[in-house]
Amino acid sequence: MKIIKTGIAGTLESSDVMITVRSNSGKGIKINLQSTVKKQFGKQIIKVTNNLLKELSVEDALIQINDIGALDCTIEARLAAALYRGAEQSEYDWEKI
Amino acid sequence: MAKLRRTMLYVPGNNAGMVKDAHIYRSDSVMFDLEDSVSIDEKDSARFLVYKALTTLDYGEIETVVRINSIESGFGKEDIKAMVRAKPNVIRLPKTEKAEDIYEVESLIEKEEKNEGYSIGTIKLMAAIESPLGVLNALSIATSSKRLIGIAIGAEDYVTCLKTSRSEDGIELLFARSQLVNAARAAGIYALDTVYSDLSNEEGFIKEIKLIKQLGFDGKSVINPRQIEPVHRIFTPTEDEITFAKKVIEGIKTAKSNKSGVIAVEGKMVDKPIVERAERILELAKSSGVLEAGKESEND
């Protein structure tokens, strides 16, 4: 999946996360995490993010995560929405999400 | 035991906090909404959120329902593709006007069930009827599919179509509600009432619950967790009703053993419909947890 424009999904409400993905052509993945629970769950959030990026074959992207205590499944949902929006794709591979 | 559908809690499909906590309020069903509560720009995001919640979280014994977008909206087909895979108990179709609407959705669900290797009919259906045409076609809708577990009335769109508005006593809904209950009973499925939107009017809400119970509905859609308890309370048989129902069942048992037909309980003649009502009261009492299974008789 190739990110060609900025994709944003999620909110800054409690139990949610806002994720912004931007193009980073040829420069790999860079993740910036801000989280109300970073000390306890920061590593897990990065792991969940990387797993989905791998599943969806995203190789280059700048990912900004603003987490307000979202569950892993919420992070995956918002990341998937931001990525598909950033890639301008509307054919969803539900098996990989 | 009879499945209770006294309350169906609306959960906006793009609200992460509510999707996560939907089951903690103990409604009989939760309905994740992908339709009216989600703006056009957020349809994809809500679909991802509900999909991941259903495939990850455990909602326990609470029935999970997803209200999809209509096929005409352009979002319905993808909703079905994702939601069949996510496997809620029920998919709810909005704005159903004719049996053909159900046939179309059913064939799309069946296709996805085959893709997923589910047995055909795994995903149940519920139809929301929200227009005069839908109300007039209630029976053909209710009998259109073996997947249908219930029909529900959506009052806001309906009264707008009627060129009126909702009133305190609900007179404008009397025909539609009665038509829906009759259609549901003829089809042997559940009848579910519309939402009560005025959260500040508790008295009006209680009045409406009593009205729809009297009309024969099985339950009601609710928009706030605090509306759950009053509906459950009013739909749960009272101690007096249970005591009377037990006497009826006991009386009819005795009459049968004495080879006698009609009996009287507390001065009232008891015949077949009274016995059926008593059985239903006891079934509802058991499902509601106010009567232990096996204690249906006075002597148990």
Side-chain angles (χ1 to χ4, degrees):
Chain A
M1 181 183 273
K2 190 171 166 54
I3 305 303
I4 55 172
K5 64 167 205 175
T6 300
I8 307 173
T11 70
L12 294 176
E13 288 169 18
S14 178
S15 301
D16 205 348
V17 57
M18 184 178 272
I19 299 183
T20 308
V21 302
R22 291 188 178 88
S23 158
N24 197 30
S25 198
K27 295 178 195 162
I29 301 288
K30 193 179 169 199
I31 301 171
N32 183 24
L33 170 66
Q34 286 187 338
S35 172
T36 53
V37 290
K38 191 171 178 176
K39 273 188 187 171
Q40 205 175 349
F41 296 110
K43 282 183 187 167
Q44 175 65 12
I45 295 169
I46 298 291
K47 190 179 158 194
V48 165
T49 304
N50 277 322
N51 285 347
L52 187 58
L53 291 171
K54 199 175 162 192
E55 275 294 327
L56 295 175
S57 307
V58 179
E59 291 172 357
D60 302 304
L62 296 170
I63 317 272
Q64 173 66 43
I65 303 172
N66 291 81
D67 171 54
I68 320 290
L71 296 176
D72 286 1
C73 62
T74 305
I75 295 166
E76 289 170 322
R78 298 313 196 189
L79 178 59
L83 289 170
Y84 274 96
R85 288 173 177 182
E88 284 198 320
Q89 276 189 32
S90 52
E91 291 282 314
Y92 306 106
D93 190 346
W94 292 103
E95 204 171 329
K96 291 182 176 174
I97 296 161
Chain B
M1 217 178 285
K3 167 74 190 148
L4 291 174
R5 291 194 176 94
R6 298 165 298 181
T7 48
M8 182 173 291
L9 178 65
Y10 266 70
V11 179
N14 205 34
N15 186 316
M18 288 182 74
V19 167
K20 170 177 79 82
D21 293 334
H23 56 311
I24 66 175
Y25 305 106
R26 316 302 299 168
S27 55
D28 292 326
S29 313
V30 290
M31 190 196 76
F32 301 106
D33 183 29
L34 300 179
E35 202 219 8
D36 282 353
S37 69
V38 179
S39 67
I40 296 280
D41 293 341
E42 292 298 319
K43 294 290 186 191
D44 57 341
S45 198
R47 195 188 290 128
F48 281 122
L49 189 67
V50 173
Y51 174 80
K52 286 305 300 184
L54 283 171
T55 51
T56 312
L57 305 179
D58 182 3
Y59 290 98
E61 75 279 15
I62 309 239
E63 183 174 59
T64 52
V65 181
V66 178
R67 179 164 77 167
I68 60 167
N69 292 284
S70 67
I71 305 300
E72 301 80 61
S73 70
F75 300 106
K77 281 187 182 174
E78 197 66 38
D79 288 348
I80 290 173
K81 201 171 164 188
M83 291 310 136
V84 170
R85 196 178 165 79
K87 222 176 182 180
N89 299 117
V90 180
I91 284 179
R92 175 164 160 156
L93 179 66
K95 299 176 178 65
T96 315
E97 294 206 302
K98 49 196 185 306
E100 286 75 14
D101 297 339
I102 299 290
Y103 302 151
E104 186 183 17
V105 168
E106 184 168 41
S107 73
L108 291 166
I109 291 176
E110 191 172 313
K111 186 181 150 205
E112 296 303 329
E113 282 177 337
K114 282 178 185 163
N115 286 344
E116 296 303 321
Y118 303 163
S119 54
I120 303 300
T122 299
I123 307 287
K124 302 300 175 202
L125 262 174
M126 179 178 288
I129 294 176
E130 306 174 55
S131 69
L133 182 59
V135 169
L136 291 171
N137 287 333
L139 181 60
S140 64
I141 292 169
T143 52
S144 62
S145 166
K146 282 184 181 164
R147 288 176 195 265
L148 266 183
I149 51 116
I151 49 176
I153 177 159
E156 299 300 337
D157 283 315
Y158 174 71
V159 295
T160 305
C161 290
L162 281 189
K163 298 187 179 178
T164 181
S165 57
R166 289 186 74 178
S167 65
E168 181 79 19
D169 64 4
I171 185 69
E172 67 289 343
L173 289 174
L174 183 60
F175 171 72
R177 279 174 164 154
S178 305
Q179 173 96 333
L180 247 79
V181 173
N182 272 277
R185 296 295 166 252
I189 60 176
Y190 286 68
L192 298 149
D193 190 47
T194 188
V195 299
Y196 188 82
S197 312
D198 186 359
L199 286 173
S200 60
N201 186 357
E202 205 180 324
E203 200 184 317
F205 182 52
I206 301 283
K207 210 171 135 192
E208 181 160 288
I209 305 165
K210 288 179 177 170
L211 170 73
I212 62 122
K213 180 174 180 265
Q214 188 60 32
L215 284 173
F217 279 92
D218 294 289
K220 189 166 180 61
S221 296
V222 292
I223 51 167
N224 187 292
R226 74 170 195 247
Q227 290 185 325
I228 295 169
E229 190 279 330
V231 181
H232 285 191
R233 180 167 27 91
I234 289 166
F235 270 86
T236 300
T238 62
E239 217 173 297
D240 285 350
E241 285 172 324
I242 295 170
T243 305
F244 181 75
K246 280 179 169 181
K247 282 180 184 169
V248 168
I249 300 300
E250 194 54 38
I252 212 76
K253 266 189 201 167
T254 311
K256 269 183 188 166
S257 63
N258 294 342
K259 302 204 184 312
S260 141
V262 179
I263 60 157
V265 173
E266 292 179 358
K268 290 174 193 160
M269 190 188 83
V270 171
D271 52 7
K272 196 165 167 274
I274 308 283
V275 175
E276 283 175 6
R277 275 213 294 278
E279 284 169 346
R280 203 160 51 239
I281 291 278
L282 295 177
E283 191 63 31
L284 193 56
K286 277 190 282 178
S287 302
S288 309
V290 292
L291 177 68
E292 214 179 303
K295 301 272 185 187
E296 295 86 346
S297 158
E298 282 260 276
N299 302 327
D300 290 331

